[in-house]
Amino acid sequence: TNPTPYTMKTKHTLFILMAMVCLPMFAQKKNKYNEKDFRCKQQIYMTEKAGLTSEEAEKFFPIYFELQDKKKALNKQRWAEAKQGRNPGTTEEEYNTIINQFLDTETDILDLKKEYIEKFRKVLSNQKIYMIYWAEIKFNRNMMKILQEMEDKKK
């Protein structure tokens, strides 16, 4: 059961308020990737799909985006290391090291996720965390489709 049920009117009001905050960002640089725009769209989508209250969203998203920043830094490091494999003279041992670095990064990301789940649990129920994960997956899939469509139109 939901300890603080809210009406559809409240849900729609929250969505409209968040959209109003983000709309000016959407108007800027339509074809250029902007992390602020992306995060704003993501926050609106995930808030709606997971049924977060404004209070929950206010507490949750700073933690969520902190995790995203840490994962991004780890992935940036991983890809920098992986580029070494493009060198024509890369040895089998160097490829082995690169592969192990990939695996270590995956482990680090998994450890981060486990750490942040505990932080999420301080502000959201397990059900809402579950809903957030599904909303994140759906959002990312939708964004990939949009990006692919944009690429197809360029061709």
Side-chain angles (χ1 to χ4, degrees):
T1 61
N2 193 351
T4 56
Y6 53 100
T7 65
M8 281 300 268
K9 184 177 179 180
T10 305
K11 188 175 182 180
H12 289 295
T13 302
L14 171 66
F15 183 76
I16 290 168
L17 286 173
M18 290 178 73
M20 287 174 54
V21 169
C22 293
L23 276 176
M25 289 184 232
F26 296 158
Q28 304 167 4
K29 305 174 191 165
K30 286 184 181 180
N31 294 327
K32 190 173 182 183
Y33 171 78
N34 181 312
E35 188 172 358
K36 245 184 179 177
D37 293 352
F38 178 84
R39 285 186 171 189
C40 194
K41 290 174 186 177
Q42 186 180 37
Q43 185 171 348
I44 290 170
Y45 183 88
M46 291 170 66
T47 297
E48 180 183 1
K49 295 297 180 189
L52 301 184
T53 65
S54 57
E55 294 82 18
E56 288 170 330
E58 189 177 316
K59 291 176 184 176
F60 171 74
F61 281 102
I63 301 166
Y64 175 79
F65 289 130
E66 182 180 295
L67 169 62
Q68 299 310 310
D69 290 342
K70 289 181 179 183
K71 286 173 27 182
K72 182 179 176 182
L74 285 169
N75 280 316
K76 186 176 181 179
Q77 175 188 336
R78 171 176 48 179
W79 288 112
E81 293 164 350
K83 286 180 183 177
Q84 297 169 5
R86 292 184 179 169
N87 298 333
T90 304
T91 66
E92 276 299 305
E93 188 56 40
E94 289 169 328
Y95 281 122
N96 184 56
T97 300
I98 292 167
I99 292 167
N100 288 334
Q101 289 170 332
F102 261 67
L103 294 172
D104 290 345
T105 301
E106 289 298 319
T107 301
D108 292 344
I109 290 172
L110 183 58
D111 290 343
L112 262 179
K113 287 180 177 181
K114 288 177 180 179
E115 173 188 336
Y116 274 79
I117 282 292
E118 293 311 313
K119 292 181 180 189
F120 295 166
R121 285 183 173 137
K122 292 178 182 173
V123 296
L124 296 178
S125 68
N126 285 320
Q127 180 186 17
K128 289 206 175 175
I129 293 169
Y130 172 84
M131 297 302 290
I132 283 288
Y133 270 102
W134 275 109
E136 179 182 43
I137 290 166
K138 288 178 184 177
F139 179 83
N140 290 337
R141 283 184 185 160
N142 289 339
M143 289 305 294
M144 292 302 290
K145 285 180 188 175
I146 290 167
L147 292 172
Q148 186 60 51
E149 289 170 5
M150 288 171 62
E151 277 298 309
D152 291 348
K153 286 181 183 178
K154 286 181 182 178
K155 295 179 182 179

